[in-house]
Structures are given as C-alpha cells and as structure tokens.
Amino acid sequence: MKARIVVLGGDGIGPEVTAEAVRALNAIAKQFGHAFEYSEYPIGGISIDTTGSALTDQTLNACKSSDAVLLGAVGGPKWDDPNAKVRPEQGLLGLRKGLGLYANLRPVKTYQSLLEISPLKSERLKDVDVLVVRELTGGLYFGEPRVRERVNGYVRAVDTLVYHDYEIERVVKLAFELSRGRRKKVTSVDKANVLESSRLWRQTANTVKEKHPDIALDHMLVDTAAMRLISSPANFDVLVTENMFGDILTDEASMLAGSMGMLPSASLGDGGPGVYEPIHGSAPDIAGKGIANPVGAILSAALLLRYSLKLENEARAIESAVETAIARGARSADLGGTLTTRHMTDEIISHIR
Ligand code: IPM
Ligand code: MG
C-alpha cells in the first residue's frame, strides 16, 4: 500500500516524538512491504513564529489532501501570554474543526510490568482497558458567543457550552460501534443534573441505544466518573463524553497507565484523513534533551495504521512490539528508566514482527 502522511511536529518535544513514530512506521513499511511518503508542515508556536498564524492554509490544505496526519504537540511558555492575539492551541483546534474530526479516541491500558509506577494501587489497575471517546469539535471549545466585555464597571467573560443533537448522535454512535468489538458496554458521561446540554446529551444517547440492542448503556455524572476512574477503572469499557469533560477525564485516566507519555489518540471524522497524536503536551521542560517517551507517539502511529490505512495486522505489530519492549524492561525517564527517546524506539522496533 502507498500512503501520504503529513507530519506536524509542532512545539517542544513534539518533533522529537513524531520523528520516532516515523521510524516505527518505516520499520512497518519495510516489514510488510508498504510505501509511506511523509511531508512536514508547521503548526502551533513554531508556525506563529514563522508565519504569524498557528495554522496556515498551506498546512491545513496539505492535511486535507493527505491520507493521515501525525501530530506532535503544540504550545509552550514562549506563546503563553494571555493577551496574545494568536495562540498555538488555535492551530490544533483549527485543525480539528477544519478536518471535521468530531471524535477523539483515547485508549487507556495498563501494562503488567508498569503497574507499580502508577500512583494508584496495583490491584485496582489489573485488566484496565478503557476507550475514552471524547467529542472534539463542539461544546465550550467552540461555542459562541465567546467574549470579554466591561459591564457596569466589572469585567465579564463568557464561553458558551452548546451542542446540537446531531453532534451528540454521531459521536455516541461511534462509541457504540467501537464497543461492539470490545466488551459491549458504553458509559455516557454528562452533568445532566445541572446542564441543559447534558440533558440533551443523555436523551440523545438513549435514542442511539435503541438502535444498538446488543450493547449496554449506562449514564454517569462527570463527577462520579472522575471518582470511579480511580476507584474501579477496570469496570469501564467505552466511555463517551463531551469535549471538555473528555479533556479532563483523559488526563486523569492517563495516570492509570503510569505516565502521560504512554497514551496515544486518534481524531476521526466521517471519511477524510484522521489526526494521530500522543495525548501528552509539548513538555517544554525536557524539550531538546532527547529523553521524552516516544511510546504515545508510536502507539498513535499504530492507530493511524488501524483507522486511516485499515492495516490492522500492522497496527497490532506495533502494539505488541511496545508491549514486549515494556515487559522486557525498556524504560524512558518518565517510567523511571534511563533510555533516551531514540533508544526506547530502537527497543520497540527490534520487536516488530
Ligand atoms: C488535548 C489538549 C488540548 C485540548 C489543548 C492543547 C488545546 O489538552 O488535546 O487534550 O484541550 O484539547
Ligand atoms: Mg488535554
């Protein structure tokens, strides 16, 4: 198979980890006889510095005409001024919206040999395998109006939490479909005891459930879900929720795996290229040191193979290579080890079969 992959390294450790994901993809291409072609474009802070915009038309158009996009991370202290007109994160949000990527898949799995590095008790972490499906193009992140204004001598800021039924329906439907290949249990997370948008979310989820009689659906309030992710994480199969709740819950859930550095994500829409990125940020404190954990990016490359290129065996080959490497003791700094980004990748690649 031939595929054109756009690589958006972005800021901080972003380019370091996407480079390793590309090496893993090349190992797969060699092993399985594929031809992957890469082209790099700027996004985020680096794009602001060179073009004045966090996401240029050139970058967005390149992504639109690709088969898939591999992304590193955006942001950093250099661009953090709250009064700045342009911010790196606008690049990421613009990309999600521009490609219509309404579903963000964030699988969280624990590795037996990493249980003790999690801040949580090992016995609670056994058999944890949660797929969080986060809505990605609605809610507070995109709602209008969004203003800062002076009213009666006070400064007032407004963000808007808005959802249409069709936005809820398509992402919940995807969660149901994904759970069919798993344990057939969807937990829809909302704040229906307070928010109108959450009541619509809950009703819409129930409507979708009617068309999926073989899948169990339960509803959970977001505060309860935050607690249950810590107290009984193994009980979750697929968790589907709105944009902001999903953002918060997935950082929390990453601690089940021991390190943010371990977790991949896939952002998908209806057809068109998906965007694949680790869930960690640009980690400016360790940028340039060559010690970032490449696993999140490499597992994102596995998701790219699975969802955009439909290469399931190749995706599994990466995932089991990561498992073997971890089981045999490969550890980057965040996992309490000493392997550099590059050596960690070498270990993983050596187990690709
Ligand atoms: C994430 C990040 C982004 C988000 C930021 C960088 C805008 O935290 O992908 O989870 O909030 O969606
Ligand atoms: Mg986040």
Side-chain angles (χ1 to χ4, degrees):
M1 154 179 293
K2 280 192 181 157
R4 281 160 309 131
I5 298 170
V6 164
V7 180
L8 308 175
D11 306 318
I13 61 169
E16 299 170 39
V17 296
T18 50
E20 304 303 323
V22 165
R23 285 177 63 216
L25 283 172
N26 283 337
I28 288 289
K30 198 168 159 210
Q31 182 91 13
F32 292 81
H34 301 301
F36 301 148
E37 221 175 73
Y38 309 92
S39 46
E40 294 185 27
Y41 290 86
I43 191 169
I46 178 93
S47 179
I48 293 176
D49 288 354
T50 51
T51 71
S53 154
L55 176 69
T56 61
D57 288 344
Q58 198 195 14
T59 294
L60 182 60
N61 288 333
C63 292
K64 279 183 179 162
S65 55
S66 74
D67 293 307
V69 179
L70 198 57
L71 179 82
V74 298
K78 183 176 174 194
W79 308 279
D80 262 354
D81 176 2
N83 293 317
K85 285 252 148 40
V86 283
R87 281 171 293 106
E89 291 76 11
Q90 291 166 340
L92 186 56
L93 300 183
L95 185 69
R96 290 170 178 170
K97 198 72 167 175
L99 295 177
L101 307 173
Y102 60 80
N104 182 215
L105 279 46
R106 296 185 165 188
V108 181
K109 270 180 62 172
T110 51
Y111 295 81
Q112 185 61 35
S113 65
L114 288 181
L115 292 186
E116 75 273 22
I117 73 153
S118 169
L120 300 170
K121 290 204 176 78
S122 301
E123 64 261 27
R124 307 229 165 158
L125 296 174
K126 282 205 191 81
D127 306 319
V128 167
D129 182 2
V130 192
L131 175 61
V132 179
V133 180
R134 168 190 176 193
E135 200 290 326
L136 205 58
T137 48
L140 280 168
Y141 279 63
F142 295 95
E144 302 282 349
R146 160 192 304 268
V147 285
R148 177 95 65 103
E149 59 194 1
R150 191 165 269 285
V151 180
N152 300 332
Y154 294 100
V155 180
R156 180 176 106 105
V158 179
D159 292 289
T160 301
L161 173 41
V162 53
Y163 270 106
H164 296 84
D165 53 359
Y166 74 88
E167 296 175 288
I168 303 167
E169 193 180 323
R170 63 190 179 184
V171 71
V172 172
K173 188 163 166 263
L174 181 66
F176 271 91
E177 277 158 14
L178 289 165
S179 101
R180 188 159 279 147
R182 299 171 48 99
R183 304 199 306 279
K184 298 193 165 56
K185 188 175 149 189
V186 173
T187 303
S188 172
V189 170
D190 61 41
K191 188 71 184 172
N193 54 347
V194 177
L195 301 175
E196 195 56 41
S197 58
S198 278
R199 287 189 280 273
L200 178 62
W201 185 282
R202 195 173 276 219
Q203 286 166 329
T204 308
N206 284 334
T207 313
V208 176
K209 153 76 189 151
E210 283 166 21
K211 294 184 197 117
H212 299 81
D214 56 322
I215 312 257
L217 169 69
D218 61 351
H219 301 281
M220 200 178 280
L221 296 173
V222 63
D223 45 354
T224 308
M227 183 260 290
R228 294 270 168 82
L229 273 172
I230 301 297
S231 65
S232 46
N235 286 346
F236 289 97
D237 177 19
V238 175
L239 186 163
V240 63
T241 191
E242 68 95 40
N243 204 344
M244 175 75 115
F245 296 161
D247 178 45
I248 298 169
L249 292 179
T250 49
D251 268 29
E252 183 194 13
S254 74
M255 284 297 103
L256 303 169
S259 166
M260 290 262 287
M262 297 295 294
L263 295 193
S265 84
S267 302
L268 309 174
D270 288 323
V275 171
Y276 301 85
E277 56 174 315
I279 85 150
H280 63 69
S282 59
D285 52 323
I286 59 162
K289 294 188 180 162
I291 58 167
N293 184 350
V295 170
I298 291 172
L299 289 175
S300 299
L303 297 180
L304 182 157
L305 294 167
R306 171 170 298 127
Y307 294 115
S308 279
L309 306 186
K310 311 289 179 216
L311 298 173
E312 179 61 27
N313 290 337
E314 287 82 341
R316 290 218 178 138
I318 290 194
E319 287 163 351
S320 54
V322 167
E323 258 164 50
T324 309
I326 295 286
R328 300 216 180 157
R331 299 284 185 276
S332 45
D334 58 316
L335 305 176
T338 56
L339 287 188
T340 61
T341 310
R342 199 175 173 84
H343 285 139
M344 190 79 183
T345 310
D346 291 340
E347 280 299 313
I348 293 165
I349 288 177
S350 77
H351 295 296
I352 289 180
R353 299 281 178 276

